[in-house]
Amino acid sequence: MLGGGGLVAANVYASATEDGGADPARTLSTPAGTIDCPDVGSELTDVPDGAREDVAKELALLDQQIAEAYQRLQESAQAIQQDAGFADSAIMNPLKDKRAATIERIAVAVDRVGDRPEGLDSLAACTLRAADNGTGEDGNGGDQEQGGDNQDGADQGNEQPGNGDQAGNGGQAGNGPVAADYVDIKSVQPNVSGPAQQKGASRGTFATSCGVNENGLFNSDNVIVAPGVSNGAHHFHDYIGNQSNDAFASDEDLANAETSCVDQGDKSTYYWPVIRLQNGSQEQDANSPGGGIEGNAGEIVTPKAVTLDFVGNPRSKVAEMPRLLRIITGDAKAFVNGTANANASWSCTGFEDRQLKDKYPLCPQGSDVVRTFKFQSCWDGQNIDSANHRTHVAFAAADGSCANGFKAIPQLVQRIVYDVDAPSLQDGGKTTPLFAVDSFPEQLHKPVTDHGDFINVFSEDLMGEMVDCINEGRECGAGAGDGGEPGGEEPTEEPTQAPSTPPAGGNDDPGNDKPEPGDDGDKPTDAPATEDPATDEPATQEPATEKPATDEPATQEPATEPAEEDGKPTLSSTVAPKADGTPTANEAEGGQSQGGSGSTPAQTQPAAVGDDSGGGSGTEPQAVGNGDLAETGTSLWPAAAGAVLLMGGFLLLMRTRRRAE
C-alpha cells in the first residue's frame, strides 16, 4: 500500500470520481490524473555501443524523476486544492529542469563517441493529464509504428459503469485502476483472425515448460532496459526460466544460471509485470521501491498456468534465434505514450477469440483471466539488441512476410492464466477486490501498459532442435501437448464471480491467431492460424521442489504424460500464496485440463528453498498418490466385515458343540 500521502490524496479527491462527471479542467489541477512526459528512450534509435551504459542509466534516472514527481503530486492534495498553480510551480517546473539536465547528459554521452542527437531538449517538459482522458485510445488512429499487434479491431466496451466509491485515480494506492478499466468479455465481439497458411509455411510448434514462478522470484529491475540500475522498472516482475535475472546480471551470469525450465537446455529468461489483487494485503514489497512505495499495492497472484510456445511463420521456414537475443513486446508506458508499441492482449478462457488491448476482462463464472503475449518474429540478422530495444526485431506483415531484409525466426507466444474473481465495480472493489497489472506509478495500472520480456538463452543444440521441429511441422518440446483446444461450449454465468467451475471452452483459434486491427492495417498477424496455444494449462499447476541441476522428480512421467511435464519446474522457493487457498489433490496430480481446476488455485504453498525432496515434497497435498485415507477405508471395509462375520460364525459353532456334549 502506498504511503500515507497516497491515501490522503485518494480521499481528498473522492469527489472527482464519485459524481461521475468531473470537469476535465478541474481534474487537471488535482492529483486525480497523471504526469505525461515524452519518452526520450524511444527517440534514441542509434546509440553507439560505447555510450549505451551511460545512456541507460540516465534514461532510468528520467523514470525515477517522473515517479518522484507523481508521488509529490499525490502528497500535495490539499495544497493543489487551495492553489491551482501549486502543481506547476512546485512539481512540474522542477521536474522539467531535472529532465533537461539529464537529457543534456545523454546528449553529451552520445557525442563523446558518435554524433550528438538533435532535438532531445524539446522532450524535457511534461504535462499534467486527466486520467479519464487516457483510456488507451489516444494513439489508435492512423498508421502506427512497429509495435502494433493491437487487438482493438472490435468495440471493447469503452462505455463503462461509473467508478462507484473509488476515490481519486482509484485502487488500493490511489493510482488506479478505476471501473472504466474493465469490460464484460461477453459484450466484446470476436475480433481474432489469422493469416492463411501458404505452401512454404513452417507449421510446427516447440513448447518449453518453465513453471509459474512458484519459486517466488520477483524484482523491480529490468536488465534489458536498465542494466545496472536497481528498481529500473518501478514495478515488480514475475520471472520464470533463468534464475539469475536482476539488474546486474551479465551475459555470463545468464548463461551459467540455474533454470526453472524442465529442459535444462533452456536457460532463457521470461518475465512480465505481476498481477495483484487490491485487497488491502501487505506484500513483502509493501514498503519497497517498485512495490507499495510506488503504488503497486496488494496481493501478488501466482499464475494458474503458463504456456510458452514457439511457433512458425505462415509463409516461410524460420531461422535460429541468436543466443542472448533480447525482445520486449508491448509498452510499459503506453498510457501516456499512446498505442504505437502497445501489444497488450487480455481475455478469458472460453472467449479467446475476443481480445482486449486497453481493458481488463470481466470473466463469467467458470472462466479465467488470460494474458497473451505474441512476440516479434522478424530479426535484422545482425543485432541481439538495439538502442531503443525495438528496431532489431519487428512483427511480420499480415501475410507473414518480414520487411527490410529481416529474417523469420520462431515466434514466442506466451500465455498466462489467472484464477481471479471478477471485481465488484459497483463498490470500487470492496466486496470483490480489483485486480490490476503492476505499472510505473504514473501509468495508473492501465491494462494497455501490459508487456513481456524475453532473453534467449537456449543452448545451441536445443535451438537447432526447435527450428527443425517447427520447420518440419511437428509438435515438440518439454511442454508439447499440454493444455489443448477447448470445446465449443462457453461459460454462461454472469461475470460477477471469478471462475469457480471450469469453462467448457469455446475458443475460436485463441492463442496464436492475431486479429486484423481496424486501425492498424500495417500491423502484423504473423502467428500461423493452425498453431493454437492452449486455453488452459494444467502443466504448470504442479511445481516440484528440485533444483534445476537435478533430475526431474521421480514421481513424474514426462515420457508418457506430457501434460504433467509442464508442471514440473525444477526450483523451489517461497512465494506469496495465491488468494484462494491451497491446491486440491486433483490439481496437484497435474492431470487436469481447463475443465478441472475450478476455483482452486494451482500452486499456493511451495516448499522452502533448498528442499530437494522428491514426489512427497511439501508442495503437494498429502492426498496426492495412489490412495488417501478415504480411499484406503473404502477398499478395506468389506474385508473387515467379512472377518467379523467369520469370527461370529466360529463362536456360534463352538457354543453349539459344547451344548451337544
Side-chain angles (χ1 to χ4, degrees), residues 337-350:
N337 284 350
T339 58
N341 289 311
N343 194 22
S345 190
W346 298 87
S347 191
C348 303
T349 55

Side-chain angles (χ1 to χ4, degrees), residues 86 129 170 178 237 262 324 385 565 649:
F86 180 86
R129 169 176 165 179
V178 296
H237 289 125
V262 171
L324 297 170
D385 199 0
E565 189 170 339

